[in-house]
Amino acid sequence: AVCCLVAVVLYYLFALCVRPKVNTAAVQHAIQHRLFCRPSQPSGQPWPLCISLANNNVSGQGVLLHFRWYRCLALLAALMCGAGWVGHELNPHTPYYETPMEPQVPVDIADDTIFDFDQKSGEFTRYAGWMALVYGVLYLLFVLVSLIMSYWQSDFSAKYDEDNPTQADYCLQLQGLPPNLVDPQPVVDFINRCCKEGGADGSVGH
């Protein structure tokens, strides 16, 4: 079955190489369109594949924030793994937890020996209490890291808006418009007229 699959794939690749070219102009147009859609450096060269999307402005602010958040997720995952290790490996009650709950009767004792299930269950409770404490601290760390990350992202976004032109830099926010306004064209005409009287170039759309 594997040989048949490999043969089919090889035949498909061979057919791609020898098939006739019937629409070269459309192919070139598609390649040009793909080139225009691909993010490129200011010099016009494409970005390398190993570029850090968290440190380089490849596709705008959203991509930067997205991949910076990945770093936070990696930190949270590391904290969770560390909490699991601390909660079990450093738990002083782990040996009791891993001991099977079966009566251990010494061979040299002839009388009946009763296994102390109450002591065992108490150790289970203390083991669970330690785990709850560890994961409670982990929850507080999650909240703290999330708050720090939120502030870090907001501060980065504000600095990005200051250093780079955005759509908000070319918009007007109008307030106090009448609630029964349906057609925005009179407002647009009024603003364009005010801009022309003030000597501003361009026009306002909606």
Side-chain angles (χ1 to χ4, degrees):
V2 176
C3 294
C4 293
L5 180 61
V6 172
V8 170
V9 172
L10 293 177
Y11 174 77
Y12 175 75
L13 295 177
F14 176 77
L16 287 179
C17 296
V18 301
R19 67 177 182 175
K21 298 179 180 180
V22 296
N23 201 350
T24 306
V27 172
Q28 295 298 327
H29 182 74
I31 293 176
Q32 190 71 18
H33 177 72
R34 183 184 64 180
L35 180 62
F36 290 154
C37 295
R38 181 185 303 170
S40 58
Q41 304 181 47
S43 61
Q45 297 296 323
W47 292 95
L49 293 178
C50 60
I51 194 70
S52 174
L53 297 178
N55 298 325
N56 298 275
N57 187 10
V58 175
S59 295
Q61 179 181 170
V63 175
L64 286 168
L65 295 175
H66 179 76
F67 282 91
R68 285 162 59 92
W69 179 247
Y70 277 170
R71 294 179 175 179
C72 179
L73 293 181
L75 175 61
L76 295 180
L79 288 176
M80 183 172 292
C81 293
W85 184 84
V86 171
H88 183 75
E89 297 296 334
L90 300 185
N91 195 325
H93 308 286
T94 298
Y96 297 95
Y97 178 80
E98 294 179 344
T99 303
M101 288 188 61
E102 297 179 358
Q104 304 294 327
V105 181
V107 179
D108 57 346
I109 298 180
D111 60 337
D112 296 335
T113 301
I114 301 177
F115 183 74
D116 192 354
F117 284 97
D118 293 336
Q119 179 184 2
K120 190 71 173 180
S121 62
E123 293 297 337
F124 284 160
T125 303
R126 285 186 283 273
Y127 175 87
W130 174 271
M131 293 292 289
L133 176 63
V134 171
Y135 280 98
V137 174
L138 176 66
Y139 176 79
L140 295 178
L141 287 176
F142 270 32
V143 173
L144 179 61
V145 171
S146 298
L147 291 176
I148 294 175
M149 187 62 189
S150 177
Y151 172 79
W152 189 33
Q153 293 282 70
S154 300
D155 183 67
F156 176 83
S157 179
K159 292 181 179 179
Y160 184 92
D161 288 338
E162 294 177 359
D163 299 335
N164 298 274
T166 61
Q167 293 180 350
D169 298 331
Y170 303 95
C171 296
L172 295 176
Q173 183 177 3
L174 302 180
Q175 298 179 353
L177 297 175
N180 58 350
L181 180 63
V182 177
D183 184 12
Q185 192 59 43
V187 179
V188 173
D189 295 339
F190 173 77
I191 296 176
N192 286 328
R193 186 166 60 253
C194 293
C195 291
K196 291 180 180 180
E197 294 176 355
D201 296 331
S203 61
V204 178
H206 62 85

